[in-house]
Amino acid sequence: MSLRKAPTDPIVAHEPELLSYLNSRPDDLDLFALYFAQSPKALQIQVSDIDSTGFTLQYVERTGLEGNFTRKEVRVVYDRATTVADVKKRIDALKREAKVATELVVDRSYVAPGSDGTLKMKNVMSPMSDPLKVILVLGWIILILAVYGPDLPTLLDVDLEAVKDHMGGRPLFLKFLVALAAIHAVECVLVLVLAVYGALPLDDVVVALVYVALFGVHATGPFVKMVFKRKAYLDGKKAEGAKAKAKGKGKGNADPSTKATAASKQEL
């Protein structure tokens, strides 16, 4: 005895309602026949019975060179359901599965790490404890002190101020500081241009400007990569939206003869 016929099956009493629910959706039946029965040319598709663990899909299929018709059926199973609402949820899940498999519909519920277009500058940069970053920060501090700080003291009998004067003194360090600041300023302008190109949020732009102002090329490289990855993601989303919109318009403007053929398919 099948579970459907068992008195304990909670769905038996609701079978007429669920059969009407399923059989009133010809597009879903076509999809189920295509995916679960592997029959793209199935005719007269209907659900003949349903219970708490699945339903039976019946259909007619043309076989052989003579074009004979054969009635077939396939059992479609799902996790045990106890209410009508549960069954409908299972059916919706099956429909989603079939669409993903047969139409390559992107499953938006799964997002691969790093592919969601929300790349953050702070996540693509190495941490502040990175030895190179520490050295660069110390270099900025020494350079600024050499230009604007007080005279350097004597350390271990070495007159550091005299050493600095021997290297060119404050004017040389000032020229170096100005040149370095100019280079980083150009890089910051590049950041602003790329931020617009990649449609970056304001917080990412601010973080990028701080990183580039301090670390120069060491931060510009990862930033440029992040922008182009984000741009590619956004372009892909835009293309998918345009394709879905065009597909929707195509369905709405379908040729009447095509609609009539689809309708007659169910009446055979």
Side-chain angles (χ1 to χ4, degrees), residues 39 41-45 59-72 264-265 267-268:
S39 180
K41 297 182 179 180
L43 303 171
Q44 299 181 17
I45 310 166
Y59 58 97
V60 171
E61 189 173 64
R62 180 175 294 180
T63 59
L65 296 176
E66 297 81 7
N68 297 325
F69 290 93
T70 304
R71 179 164 292 279
K72 297 183 178 182
S264 63
K265 181 179 178 183
E267 295 172 359
L268 287 177

Side-chain angles (χ1 to χ4, degrees), residues 58-202:
Q58 290 186 344
Y59 58 97
V60 171
E61 189 173 64
R62 180 175 294 180
T63 59
L65 296 176
E66 297 81 7
N68 297 325
F69 290 93
T70 304
R71 179 164 292 279
K72 297 183 178 182
E73 65 178 37
V74 64
R75 174 73 174 174
V76 181
V77 299
Y78 44 71
D79 292 337
R80 180 175 170 80
T82 57
T83 66
V84 171
D86 287 342
V87 173
K88 289 182 178 180
K89 288 180 181 178
R90 305 289 192 274
I91 292 171
D92 287 341
L94 292 175
K95 183 168 67 173
R96 177 66 177 172
E97 177 186 342
K99 281 187 176 181
V100 170
T102 58
E103 299 180 8
L104 297 180
V105 175
V106 179
D107 186 355
R108 301 298 180 191
S109 63
Y110 173 75
V111 179
S115 66
D116 62 348
T118 58
L119 297 170
K120 306 299 289 182
M121 186 66 183
K122 62 183 180 181
N123 295 333
V124 299
M125 286 298 298
S126 56
M128 290 298 293
S129 57
D130 179 5
L132 181 57
K133 282 191 173 65
V134 174
I135 293 173
L136 290 173
V137 171
L138 289 176
W140 273 109
I141 293 173
I142 292 172
L143 187 58
I144 291 172
L145 287 176
V147 176
Y148 300 107
D151 291 344
L152 297 178
T154 299
L155 184 64
L156 298 177
D157 295 329
V158 177
D159 188 348
L160 297 180
E161 187 65 26
V163 172
K164 184 180 75 172
D165 291 339
H166 181 72
M167 295 173 62
R170 293 178 190 270
L172 179 64
F173 284 98
L174 178 59
K175 290 178 181 178
F176 188 71
L177 179 62
V178 170
L180 195 59
I183 293 173
H184 286 204
V186 172
E187 290 175 329
C188 287
V189 172
L190 176 64
V191 166
L192 293 174
V193 173
L194 290 176
V196 174
Y197 173 76
L200 263 67
L202 181 61

